[in-house]
Amino acid sequence: MSENPLKSRPAPRKAPKQARSLATVEAIVEAAARILEERGHEAFSTNAVAERAGVSVGSLYQYFPRKDALIGALILRETSRLVEEAESAADQPTGKEALSALILPCVEQQLRRPALARLLDFEEARLPLDAATEQVKMRFFELTRATLLRPDLPAQTDMDVASRDVVAIIKGMVDAAGEHGDEDKRQLARRVERAVLGYLNSG
Amino acid sequence: MSENPLKSRPAPRKAPKQARSLATVEAIVEAAARILEERGHEAFSTNAVAERAGVSVGSLYQYFPRKDALIGALILRETSRLVEEAESAADQPTGKEALSALILPCVEQQLRRPALARLLDFEEARLPLDAATEQVKMRFFELTRATLLRPDLPAQTDMDVASRDVVAIIKGMVDAAGEHGDEDKRQLARRVERAVLGYLNSG
DNA sequence: CTGTAATATGAGCGATAATTCGCTTTTTAC
DNA sequence: GTAAAAAGCGAATTATCGCTCATATTACAG
């Protein structure tokens, strides 16, 4: 009755218990990242990832139930890092500073590994995400929303729409910059702030 | 000497001469679009496209030298349509109206077939585009640039950067809207205009 | 030291899918 | 009508790749 008719459940594999296997899992995830960013989705095969990680395919399948789980793990890793850095927004004295503290991590994340960031952004829309990832994403949205509520920023009529728009503006500009190539971190961050503040002010 | 060692040339296949084959080519391209937007990259196989188009794989390969050429044709088709509609920007009396005339087609294109638009946008970065497509894309960029030069819009210090940013803001917001689902065309267009004007004004 | 649990291995199964090619059918030109 | 060109066909070829499993190695508890 609780079986899987066609599409199988998330199928949680073995969790690493010893230090050795923890290192294996990390190596696999990082290998997946490198293959994706260097050679794209096309070359992204489980065999390629295993080889690059210096382990066997069998080991890979002990910790990741299917190929897509690798991408899932990557999304979780990268999103968690972004949100951790963005948490500092909550501590800023003014809304304007909080906004900067929100934007800078996005810019840094994107410029650090542009190809990877862009690709994962796309996969995020395609893959069903697990609860943990969904929660981290939600947290970022909440941080944005709370920032827009700061008293020194112009009030918005619909906070949900405004939050989505702001996130979309950031994502769009930062993505384009990653595609275009060489960009100065500070300059880009300043331009994104300009765009977002411009949007908020003209509400 | 003029041979292809490993990666073959664009390999131009037969061009359709009769009405029958023209219809075949169109059916194939549209089938490719439908498979991509309905079932994603995963299900996008030449056999699936041929079947959906009601032709044989052999026929498909008479007009498209390889699988990717299907996506290339789709990108050209969609981009051309967008640019055609955006041409009206040049005829607008004011810069503000020209900006609207630039933004509206983007919004319409995206909301018409959101999944397809998003996917092609991603493929555009992955695939090497032919000269024709490159030229159409350039034309859109030029239209944007010319619009930003209108005297009633605030002057920008770096027109290239400003143009890229504006395109990025449009793309980002419109993409997010397509992902989010139900959106009102007019409302979305108005919000994008707000964002772009806000950006331009705070320069 | 020894038994057991954890971890690692990689050849190979089964499935899918890109592309070709010899052939048939349809259209056009005369 | 007929020959040649254009269009269409789809089984067969070839290759790749996701994933499993029977087996080997390593770590750890007592």
Side-chain angles (χ1 to χ4, degrees):
Chain A
M1 266 309 190
S2 67
E3 280 313 332
N4 32 24
L6 279 174
K7 279 286 175 193
S8 67
R9 333 239 79 229
R13 284 291 144 104
K14 215 170 294 177
K17 302 286 186 188
Q18 308 179 350
R20 181 170 52 139
S21 56
L22 259 171
T24 298
V25 169
E26 271 208 19
I28 291 172
V29 172
E30 183 53 28
R34 293 199 120 86
I35 298 220
L36 275 177
E37 70 185 346
E38 285 170 16
R39 299 168 52 215
H41 217 150
E42 176 132 331
F44 182 70
S45 74
T46 50
N47 290 292
V49 171
E51 186 181 17
R52 179 89 183 227
V55 304
S56 69
V57 238
S59 292
L60 188 157
Y61 274 92
Q62 283 202 341
Y63 306 107
F64 300 93
R66 69 189 67 90
K67 196 194 182 190
D68 282 348
L70 289 169
I71 299 182
L74 263 176
I75 291 175
L76 180 56
R77 186 184 84 166
E78 296 294 307
T79 312
S80 297
R81 177 180 193 156
L82 172 67
V83 172
E84 258 170 52
E85 290 176 15
E87 284 290 349
S88 69
D91 310 329
Q92 301 301 317
T94 70
K96 204 162 169 300
E97 285 166 291
L99 210 51
S100 299
L102 213 59
I103 290 172
L104 192 61
C106 297
V107 170
E108 282 174 336
Q109 175 106 304
Q110 192 83 18
L111 295 193
R112 209 179 293 130
R113 308 179 81 165
L116 181 64
R118 186 165 162 72
L119 209 142
L120 290 183
D121 194 44
F122 187 77
E123 295 293 324
E124 240 176 79
R126 184 178 72 84
L127 255 51
L129 305 177
D130 55 74
T133 308
E134 218 52 273
Q135 216 168 339
V136 176
K137 278 185 74 176
M138 185 83 93
R139 176 66 187 148
F140 185 79
F141 191 77
E142 274 311 316
L143 279 170
T144 306
R145 187 196 180 82
T147 299
L148 296 192
L149 280 170
R150 298 292 198 96
D152 65 312
L153 292 181
Q156 304 296 315
T157 49
D158 188 331
M159 291 311 293
D160 277 345
V161 170
S163 300
R164 272 200 293 117
D165 281 348
V166 166
V167 171
I169 292 170
I170 297 175
K171 221 188 241 185
M173 290 185 73
V174 139
D175 243 31
E179 228 178 318
H180 175 259
D182 51 358
E183 283 273 1
D184 181 48
K185 204 169 70 181
R186 291 183 192 289
Q187 273 198 339
L188 176 59
R190 216 177 307 133
R191 270 160 40 222
V192 175
E193 282 170 41
R194 248 181 73 189
V196 171
L197 284 174
Y199 169 83
L200 294 176
N201 278 314
S202 68
Chain B
M1 266 310 189
S2 68
E3 280 312 334
N4 34 23
L6 278 174
K7 279 287 175 191
S8 66
R9 335 239 80 231
R13 286 289 145 105
K14 216 171 294 180
K17 303 285 184 186
Q18 308 177 352
R20 182 171 52 139
S21 55
L22 259 171
T24 297
V25 169
E26 271 207 18
I28 292 171
V29 171
E30 183 52 28
R34 292 200 121 87
I35 298 220
L36 275 177
E37 69 185 348
E38 285 170 16
R39 299 169 52 215
H41 216 151
E42 177 132 332
F44 181 70
S45 73
T46 51
N47 290 289
V49 171
E51 186 182 16
R52 179 89 183 229
V55 305
S56 70
V57 241
S59 292
L60 188 155
Y61 274 92
Q62 282 201 338
Y63 306 106
F64 301 93
R66 68 189 68 87
K67 195 192 181 192
D68 282 348
L70 288 169
I71 299 182
L74 263 176
I75 291 174
L76 180 57
R77 187 183 85 165
E78 296 294 307
T79 312
S80 297
R81 176 180 193 154
L82 173 67
V83 172
E84 257 170 53
E85 292 176 14
E87 285 290 349
S88 69
D91 309 330
Q92 302 302 315
T94 70
K96 204 162 169 301
E97 286 166 291
L99 210 51
S100 299
L102 214 58
I103 290 172
L104 192 62
C106 297
V107 170
E108 282 174 337
Q109 173 106 303
Q110 192 83 18
L111 296 193
R112 209 178 295 132
R113 308 179 80 165
L116 181 64
R118 186 165 162 69
L119 209 142
L120 290 183
D121 193 45
F122 187 76
E123 294 294 324
E124 237 176 81
R126 184 179 72 83
L127 254 51
L129 305 178
D130 55 73
T133 308
E134 218 53 273
Q135 216 168 339
V136 177
K137 278 185 74 177
M138 185 84 92
R139 176 67 187 147
F140 185 78
F141 191 76
E142 274 312 315
L143 278 170
T144 306
R145 187 196 180 83
T147 298
L148 297 193
L149 280 169
R150 297 294 197 95
D152 65 310
L153 292 180
Q156 305 296 314
T157 49
D158 188 331
M159 290 311 293
D160 277 346
V161 169
S163 301
R164 272 198 294 116
D165 282 348
V166 166
V167 171
I169 292 171
I170 297 174
K171 219 188 242 185
M173 290 185 73
V174 139
D175 243 30
E179 227 177 320
H180 175 259
D182 51 357
E183 284 272 1
D184 180 49
K185 204 169 72 179
R186 291 183 192 288
Q187 273 198 338
L188 176 60
R190 216 177 306 134
R191 270 159 43 223
V192 175
E193 282 170 40
R194 247 181 73 189
V196 170
L197 283 174
Y199 169 84
L200 294 175
N201 276 316
S202 67

